[in-house]
Structure formats: C-alpha cells, structure tokens
Amino acid sequence: MPKVKVNGIDIYYEEHGSGEPVVMIGGLGADTTLWSKQVPAFSERFRVVVFDNRGSGQSDKPDEPYSIPMFAADTVGLMQALGIERAHVVGASLGGLVAQELVLTHPEMVDRLLLVCT
C-alpha cells in the first residue's frame, strides 16, 4: 500500500501504466475505486495516478476542518513527491473543484484539465 507524507498526513495513492502523467482527483468521500473503470483504459497510454483525498479511503483522516485549498495543496504535494512537474488533471464531483483550485494556484502544473460532474 503506497503512501506518501504530504502536508503532515499520509496520502494513499496508486500508479498505473506509463507515459504522460494523468492525476485523477475524486470527490468527497470517494477513494481510488471511483476510477476502477477508467484506470485500465487510461493506463494503456498514460501514467495514471489515483489517490484517496485526506479523510477518505486509506489516507489519514485528521480531525480538523477540510477545505478545497487544502485538498489542492495535498494534490500538489503528492505530485511533487512523485516527481510530477506537470500533468493532465481529471477531477470528478468535489474533485473538480479541487482541480479548478489547482489550476488557479499552480497553472504551471496542469497541462490539460478535465472536469466531470462538478
């Protein structure tokens, strides 16, 4: 179970495939299984990174208020820890809000942005 320390907490993540990186950000309470149908197809062509946001799945669940900027900072930290300077970013539901915050605060880290049901 790969985890990386980001902003003082352990974030669970998975990597699949190789090629240009695609970072997929799930919605509130979703874990990596949200992307179970997309990962096999995307990983044929891309390095796909899926992860559990703080408070969900196998990531730490600190007892504190969460915010969109906090989730975006976690995503940035994860990307940096994995050596990803720039990626295609996919955000679903609340993950779409996180992805928008990410592109607004760190536009240099986002190649393409795909928003799903957000």
Side-chain angles (χ1 to χ4, degrees):
M1 297 187 301
K3 291 185 179 184
V4 65
K5 184 73 77 178
V6 172
N7 297 324
I9 65 164
D10 286 331
I11 298 285
Y12 172 81
Y13 71 96
E14 297 176 6
E15 292 189 83
H16 304 271
S18 62
E20 294 180 42
V22 174
V23 175
M24 305 180 90
I25 308 170
L28 184 64
D31 63 14
T32 58
T33 61
L34 171 72
W35 305 108
S36 63
K37 301 228 186 251
Q38 291 78 23
V39 166
F42 282 32
S43 64
E44 290 178 10
R45 184 172 169 199
F46 298 99
R47 173 187 177 193
V48 178
V49 176
V50 294
F51 65 99
D52 296 341
N53 285 313
R54 68 172 56 223
S56 66
Q58 298 178 60
S59 289
D60 285 351
K61 300 162 183 64
D63 186 17
E64 62 186 5
Y66 301 161
S67 68
I68 300 301
M70 181 184 285
F71 288 129
D74 290 345
T75 305
V76 168
L78 175 64
M79 290 173 66
Q80 290 172 336
L82 298 179
I84 299 172
E85 294 179 10
R86 189 170 174 86
H88 306 301
V89 176
V90 181
S93 191
L94 180 107
L97 295 175
V98 175
Q100 290 174 72
E101 180 73 16
L102 174 61
V103 78
L104 289 172
T105 57
H106 295 281
E108 73 284 357
M109 297 185 80
V110 179
D111 189 348
R112 288 179 174 82
L113 176 64
L114 177 62
L115 303 174
V116 182
C117 64
T118 189

